Amino acid sequence: MWRAAIILGFLVTACAEFPEVDAALAAGDPDAGYPDLLPFEQLAPDQETALSETDDEALLARVAGLRNRADGLRGPVIDRDTRDRMDDGVTQP
């Protein structure tokens, strides 16, 4: 039954219309090619892209914080006592 609901959901969303997208596509040239790929420096020439010493230190501090978070997530998801209770199973009343 749930499979039919999922398929029905996909069918309903496939019939949806997006007027903003259709208007944008209709306004453009249908024979236009893809835009050229540009280096980042040409896309944002007014912004400074070099890192300073303070940026370097902040980035290293962030890396250390993310590594500590990752280490904290590497442990078991279920603690040992709960795992033992789960292994015992459910007793029927």
Side-chain angles (χ1 to χ4, degrees):
M1 183 65 182
W2 60 272
R3 290 181 185 144
I6 291 174
I7 293 171
L8 182 64
F10 281 130
L11 290 175
V12 169
T13 56
C15 297
E17 293 184 18
F18 300 97
E20 295 87 6
V21 174
D22 293 335
L25 292 175
D29 181 16
D31 296 326
Y34 287 103
D36 293 332
L37 294 177
L38 299 174
F40 177 75
E41 291 79 16
Q42 289 181 4
L43 295 175
D46 58 338
Q47 297 178 2
E48 186 172 330
T49 57
L51 292 175
S52 67
E53 289 295 323
T54 57
D55 293 336
D56 189 34
E57 292 169 6
L59 187 59
L60 290 174
R62 183 164 184 222
V63 167
L66 290 173
R67 285 188 176 148
N68 287 337
R69 275 182 67 189
D71 288 340
L73 294 172
R74 284 196 179 100
V77 175
I78 301 172
D79 63 301
R80 188 73 175 145
D81 293 334
T82 305
R83 173 63 66 192
D84 290 341
R85 285 187 309 143
M86 289 169 60
D87 288 341
D88 289 342
V90 177
T91 57
Q92 297 292 330

